[in-house]
């Protein structure tokens, strides 16, 4: 299934993935309803990504803070192994882990990845950082499972017990990450040293499509001059239509 994102700087054709049907069907539904028509690419960060889909951006005056609007619902995460944040990837925006541990996606806001092309030395450093991030996330998930036990130990001021539990959870988290493959896969390394993208977002947000044509338009948009809140100085309006089902 393909959609056309028409912008004031050119058109972008995006293929939506069948592997993420919840996001695919929702995006098509909103496009057919005209939900996106007249919205803006309201957040643009050079060498990173371009973000749109906030209904509050329609006709928004200069200086208005944007980025919190939506259709009033979220979408369950569809974070899939082997689908990465390569340059041109279409992904769903979301609230942070601290208020959204299930990583549910915004019902309408999306971003298209630009990112960077990395050298092998940079990829090794990123792999180490991602391994540490994965271990921390695994540890946090385990700690949440033992929350009541941890709270009781704190109430009892059982420092030795807390330290022992922390050590055990850290070891278990490390074992989980090692078993699932720590750091970056060979496929990720190939993608980010050739096509480019944003490897640190892998596993964090749902990627549900990719640009098939119009990457030069994405490039022009990501280079736009911006003001406060990363909003482009000159509005970049959007209209989205389904072009192939």
């Amino acid at each position: 299934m393909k959609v056309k994102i028409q912008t004031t700087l050119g058109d972008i054709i995006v293929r939506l993935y069948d592997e993420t049907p919840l996001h695919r069907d929702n995006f098509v539904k909103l496009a057919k309803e005209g939900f996106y028509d007249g919205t803006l690419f309201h957040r643009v960060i050079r060498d990173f990504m371009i973000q749109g889909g906030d209904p509050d951006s329609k006709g928004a005056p200069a200086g208005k803070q944007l980025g919190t609007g939506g259709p009033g619902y979220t979408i369950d995460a569809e974070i899939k192994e082997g689908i990465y944040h390569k340059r041109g990837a279409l992904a769903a925006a979301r609230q942070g882990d601290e208020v959204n541990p299930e990583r549910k996606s915004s019902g309408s806001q999306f971003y298209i990845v630009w990112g960077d092309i990395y050298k092998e030395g940079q990829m090794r450093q990123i792999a180490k950082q991602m391994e540490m991030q994965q271990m921390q996330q695994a540890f946090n998930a385990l700690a949440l499972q033992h929350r009541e036990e941890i709270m009781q130990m704190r109430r009892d001021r059982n420092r030795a017990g807390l330290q022992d539990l922390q050590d055990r959870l850290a070891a278990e988290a490390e074992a989980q990450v090692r078993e699932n493959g720590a750091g970056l896969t060979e496929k990720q390394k190939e993608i980010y040293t050739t096509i480019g993208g944003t490897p640190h977002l892998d596993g964090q947000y749902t990627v549900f499509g990719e640009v098939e044509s119009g990457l030069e338009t994405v490039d022009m948009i990501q280079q736009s001059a911006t003001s406060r809140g990363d909003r482009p100085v000159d509005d970049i309006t959007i209209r989205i239509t389904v072009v192939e089902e």
Side-chain angles (χ1 to χ4, degrees):
M1 189 171 289
K2 297 180 183 180
V3 297
K4 178 191 288 187
I5 304 175
Q6 297 170 272
T7 83
T8 45
L9 292 180
D11 296 344
I12 306 165
I13 302 295
V14 175
R15 176 169 59 86
L16 305 178
Y17 294 152
D18 290 335
E19 294 89 340
T20 50
L22 297 178
H23 288 71
R24 176 199 64 200
D25 294 348
N26 179 70
F27 201 69
V28 167
K29 170 182 171 292
L30 293 180
K32 287 182 174 180
E33 292 174 353
F35 180 93
Y36 292 113
D37 297 354
T39 59
L40 306 176
F41 273 113
H42 65 270
R43 182 170 178 245
V44 170
I45 302 177
R46 184 172 295 194
D47 296 327
F48 183 38
M49 60 90 216
I50 62 175
Q51 182 172 332
D54 181 351
D56 295 341
S57 67
K58 294 184 181 182
K64 181 179 179 179
Q65 290 295 298
L66 300 170
T68 60
Y73 58 83
T74 57
I75 307 170
D76 288 343
E78 294 180 295
I79 300 172
K80 303 293 185 179
E81 189 72 30
I83 298 181
Y84 303 121
H85 281 77
K86 64 184 178 181
R87 181 168 290 176
L90 172 71
R94 67 174 178 85
Q95 290 186 302
D97 286 359
E98 64 279 2
V99 295
N100 179 29
E102 295 177 335
R103 296 175 179 166
K104 292 185 177 183
S105 301
S106 163
S108 63
Q109 292 198 42
F110 64 91
Y111 60 93
I112 300 176
V113 173
W114 187 257
D116 202 357
I117 297 175
Y118 295 88
K119 297 179 180 178
E120 290 186 11
Q122 292 175 303
M123 290 307 300
R124 285 193 293 270
Q125 185 62 33
I126 290 172
K128 290 179 182 178
Q129 293 171 350
M130 291 185 69
E131 182 177 338
M132 292 176 63
Q133 182 184 58
Q134 290 161 0
M135 288 184 182
Q136 185 63 56
Q137 289 171 350
F139 177 85
N140 291 344
L142 290 169
L144 188 61
Q145 295 173 17
H146 291 265
R147 184 176 183 276
E148 290 302 321
E149 184 180 356
I150 292 170
M151 295 301 293
Q152 186 60 52
M153 287 182 179
R154 286 177 176 170
R155 285 191 291 267
D156 296 340
R157 297 185 179 181
N158 184 356
R159 295 181 180 177
L162 274 172
Q163 186 61 54
D164 179 66
L165 179 59
Q166 179 177 313
D167 292 343
R168 286 191 287 113
L169 295 184
E172 187 175 344
E174 182 175 355
Q176 285 183 7
V177 171
R178 299 292 185 199
E179 182 179 352
N180 295 329
L184 296 168
T185 66
E186 291 304 314
K187 183 64 175 177
Q188 284 172 296
K189 294 174 185 176
E190 178 186 351
I191 287 172
Y192 295 121
T193 55
T194 55
I195 299 171
T198 54
H200 64 283
L201 297 182
D202 286 345
Q204 309 296 313
Y205 297 77
T206 297
V207 176
F208 64 101
E210 64 180 82
V211 173
E212 284 207 339
S213 65
L215 201 59
E216 66 281 359
T217 299
V218 179
D219 188 14
M220 282 191 288
I221 295 173
Q222 68 94 22
Q223 293 187 60
S224 299
T226 56
S227 57
R228 190 164 61 99
D230 300 313
R231 178 176 170 178
V233 173
D234 297 320
D235 285 348
I236 302 169
T237 57
I238 296 171
R239 181 171 183 264
I240 300 181
T241 56
V242 179
V243 294
E244 185 177 319
E245 297 189 51

